[in-house]
Amino acid sequence: MNLTQKIIKAHLVSGNMNVGEEISVKIDQTLTQDSTGTMAYLQFEATGVDKVKTERSVAYIDHNMLQASQLNADDHAYIQSVALSHGIYVSKPGNGICHQVHLERFGKPGKTLLGSDSHTPTGGGIGMLAIGAGGLDVALAMGGAPFYLIMPKVVNVELKGKLKKGVTAKDVILKVLEILTTAGGVGKVMEYTGDGVKYLTVPERATITNMGAELGATTSIFPADETTRRFLEAQGRGEDYTPMSADEGATYDEHIVIDLDELSPLAACPHSPGNVKPIKELAGKKVDQICIGSCTNSSYLDLMKVAAILKGKTVSPEVSLTVSPGSRQVLTMLAENGALADIIAAGARVLECACGPCIGNGQSPKQGAVSLRTFNRNFFNRSGTPSADVYLVSPETAAVSALTGVITDPEGIDIPDIQMPEKFLINDNLILKPENFRNIEIVRGDNIKPFPKGSALGDTLTGEALIKLGDDITTDHIMPSNAALLAYRSNIPYLSDYCLSNCDKEFPKRAKEKKGGFIVAGSNYGQGSSREHAALVPLYLGIKAVIAKSFARIHKDNLMNNGILPLVFENAADYDKIDAGDKLRIDNAVESVGTRKFILADETKNITVPLRLECGDRQQNMLICGGSLNSIKH
Ligand code: MIC
Ligand code: SF4
């Protein structure tokens, strides 16, 4: 067996491990973050479970850090109190980005981790099977339920040789994105092997598994080897190490080879992580803003390299450079060894250890700006400036470009080899352990509004095609996130006025006037974030079904968990026959869920179009009952 199959087998609760069949696995650890966490904990409370049943569950507060009113602080207080009272650890604001901190302090090779954040696969960097999901699935896993997924194909990404100076782990994952594109990983786990693995440190491996989310993959994983052992020992967690690798002669469903010595620095160009070009082709382009950080590239190693490049120099006069360390551990170590002083002296604006600009929470660039970011997503308007062009690059490319003011190729750059520390600085005093707290009162700010609940599926569904969208619509289109909106993540009625506003500002008004209807879309609908809000808000607006050429995994599960039908065109060409404004009708919906075959009548065009439902048996029941919570009650 390959490593993915071994971990799945060790955790299998139901199903057969045949590609494409529904299976369920036991979840050892969970993580939540605050922007999806408020909903996840409201849903967890709705299950009535008293104490979490996992080996370790952690609630991180790292996303909504701008406290421009009392709203975010209210949500933080809710999360802290609800988590501690149910046996969940809390990583307080300031402690760092969930994925970075989880890797440092909690992750264990061979374990399963389910997180209410799409970049949970970061844990694959130490050999965990780490999967992102909607808040409801994480809430159920905290209550001891297994996690259901489709048995993935396992793709072997064989890494050969060694990276050249100035070429980085970011360039490896950008190369994989160039090969597979943003939908190329759907239904697949990317398993990294080969002689090149041993030259990659744990944070470098984590950069690769983190951004595997942009392939749409179920997750990505590296073996746990001597490098992993040294990392865990340096974190004071040597006892958490278990060697994990594929069996000798293991087989895979697909195979990709990447020659690390042949790679050169790459960038993902606007507005997709899959729009990859060589830095050489972009070199010389004037840059206005550079942001270094995010769960992809904010480790100690990343920032030490940035500091070495910036040392003794000054940022170009026309560039605004920000640096957000991934964790307090990283920030403190840089402060103690002087690297932080080098970064500050060069003119960087040092931000707190949090998601920050990555989620549009501050640092929106100026109109029409070119912004280089070491992040993982450059979806349209995610920076908060619709006219800005965001390029995703490595920390080395970002740092050299910050000095020149134009996109600059770092290949061959002469910086000292930075070694992984023998010992990381360990200070867990911002991690609250539930065993130290008794009789906690759950704090509920008045921004916390009840979440909408689905109702049993009606047999006839009618309504207009309220909007017709193209391919690759992201969750940032469906439910935008930015400094102004993030504070309302526990307030679905408020957020509903912004649904799909990145595509059509009139959509929410129209959906409300028409009392709901249908969304029609192209392929890979819902790529990106795990935010359940991208399903809850359409549910609130009365959306009955999304009819698309294909769906991204997490969003499709979120739709079904909330009782919205994700229907696929049986013939992709039928997409062209339906227009926005057409009157649509589906008869015999309940029976059709059973057969997974639907007939869509377009009453405006007087045509019918076959649709199919791709889901497991459990999800059929869920759709008929009107969502996961209803079907559990049944
Ligand atoms: C993201 O990177 O898009 C986020 C913000 O971390 C999301 C979660 C969210 O929308 O709150 C994710 O990756 O799932
Ligand atoms: Fe935070 Fe950005 Fe990572 Fe999402 S991708 S968890 S917003 S740093």
Side-chain angles (χ1 to χ4, degrees), residues 33-37 63-64 98-99 116-120 133 213-214 295 355 358-359 376-377 379 382 475-476 479 481 486 489 528-533 554:
Q33 39 86 341
D34 51 306
S35 66
T36 55
H63 277 62
N64 301 341
C98 53
H99 308 302
S116 66
D117 190 282
S118 65
H119 292 105
T120 304
E214 274 48 73
C295 56
C355 301
C358 179
I359 181 63
N376 46 36
R377 290 187 172 148
F379 300 146
R382 188 172 156 104
T475 44
D476 280 82
M479 192 56 258
S481 256
L486 267 170
R489 281 293 184 97
S529 151
S530 67
R531 67 187 70 139
E532 216 165 10
H533 308 74
I554 306 181

Side-chain angles (χ1 to χ4, degrees), residues 158-184:
E158 189 183 342
L159 302 180
K160 289 192 167 159
K162 205 174 167 187
L163 291 168
K164 290 178 286 201
K165 268 212 156 163
V167 188
T168 69
K170 180 63 151 266
D171 304 306
V172 177
I173 186 61
L174 287 173
K175 186 73 197 172
V176 181
L177 271 155
E178 183 187 77
I179 298 169
L180 290 180
T181 74
T182 49

Side-chain angles (χ1 to χ4, degrees), residues 225-541:
D225 57 10
E226 265 308 287
T227 305
T228 323
R229 188 188 60 73
R230 280 199 304 277
F231 174 81
L232 288 171
E233 294 227 319
Q235 289 287 354
R237 300 200 291 124
E239 70 286 359
D240 290 344
Y241 174 69
T242 320
M244 299 293 311
S245 61
D247 291 333
E248 195 72 34
T251 56
Y252 292 88
D253 299 294
E254 288 171 28
H255 190 194
I256 295 173
V257 179
I258 296 192
D259 280 306
L260 298 180
D261 357 50
E262 280 173 22
L263 279 188
S264 287
L266 297 168
C269 303
H271 297 289
S272 169
N275 188 10
V276 178
K277 294 214 168 79
I279 288 289
K280 281 186 183 52
E281 271 181 33
L282 304 165
K285 190 178 205 33
K286 192 177 167 311
V287 176
D288 304 286
Q289 183 196 46
I290 301 189
C291 300
I292 298 177
S294 94
C295 56
T296 322
N297 277 119
S298 58
S299 66
Y300 172 80
L301 205 68
D302 283 332
L303 298 194
M304 284 299 292
K305 287 189 197 150
V306 167
I309 294 170
L310 296 182
K311 191 178 167 82
K313 315 225 166 69
T314 300
V315 169
S316 163
E318 285 176 55
V319 169
S320 164
L321 170 67
T322 71
V323 175
S324 4
S327 69
R328 198 165 57 117
Q329 180 182 79
V330 172
L331 177 58
T332 318
M333 288 176 71
L334 297 179
E336 289 200 345
N337 70 15
L340 184 63
D342 294 334
I343 292 174
I344 296 171
R349 303 164 66 180
V350 179
L351 309 180
E352 75 177 310
C353 316
C355 301
C358 179
I359 181 63
N361 220 350
Q363 304 301 327
S364 297
K366 70 178 189 197
Q367 266 182 51
V370 169
S371 176
L372 297 196
R373 299 175 164 214
T374 67
F375 307 166
N376 46 36
R377 290 187 172 148
N378 56 348
F379 300 146
F380 170 72
N381 202 13
R382 188 172 156 104
S383 68
T385 305
S387 59
D389 276 344
V390 175
Y391 294 77
L392 305 174
V393 298
S394 70
E396 281 84 330
T397 303
V400 292
S401 307
L403 297 175
T404 56
V406 293
I407 297 184
T408 304
D409 187 350
E411 191 170 331
I413 185 177
D414 186 23
I415 49 165
D417 265 337
I418 311 228
Q419 299 302 319
M420 285 296 283
E422 295 282 311
K423 281 263 158 284
F424 285 97
L425 194 139
I426 295 157
N427 176 0
D428 286 338
N429 65 358
L430 282 187
I431 295 177
L432 308 180
K433 296 184 180 171
E435 50 269 31
N436 297 336
F437 296 82
R438 300 240 174 284
N439 305 325
I440 298 152
E441 198 190 317
I442 299 178
V443 184
R444 294 173 206 278
D446 47 19
N447 186 38
I448 297 184
K449 301 281 183 263
F451 57 91
K453 300 197 177 68
S455 47
L457 184 67
D459 215 25
T460 304
L461 311 178
T462 53
E464 255 183 39
L466 292 169
I467 191 164
K468 185 172 178 186
L469 303 159
D471 293 342
D472 294 316
I473 292 298
T474 71
T475 44
D476 280 82
H477 289 102
I478 307 168
M479 192 56 258
S481 256
N482 53 42
L485 289 182
L486 267 170
Y488 294 94
R489 281 293 184 97
S490 46
N491 189 340
I492 297 296
Y494 185 91
L495 287 182
S496 71
D497 284 333
Y498 299 88
C499 183
L500 281 168
S501 57
N502 271 333
C503 303
D504 175 357
K505 291 213 170 8
E506 296 302 312
F507 175 81
K509 197 162 142 253
R510 195 159 61 243
K512 282 181 183 167
E513 272 166 17
K514 312 259 170 180
K515 300 204 168 18
F518 298 86
I519 292 173
V520 178
S523 54
N524 201 23
Y525 179 78
Q527 70 160 319
S529 151
S530 67
R531 67 187 70 139
E532 216 165 10
H533 308 74
L536 284 164
V537 164
L539 174 68
Y540 180 83
L541 291 174

Side-chain angles (χ1 to χ4, degrees), residues 23-51:
I23 56 167
S24 69
V25 290
K26 177 182 173 291
I27 295 300
D28 301 320
Q29 301 190 341
T30 63
L31 71 76
T32 57
Q33 39 86 341
D34 51 306
S35 66
T36 55
T38 41
M39 271 307 146
Y41 290 113
L42 287 171
Q43 289 162 330
F44 178 71
E45 287 191 282
T47 67
V49 173
D50 182 32
K51 290 276 179 266

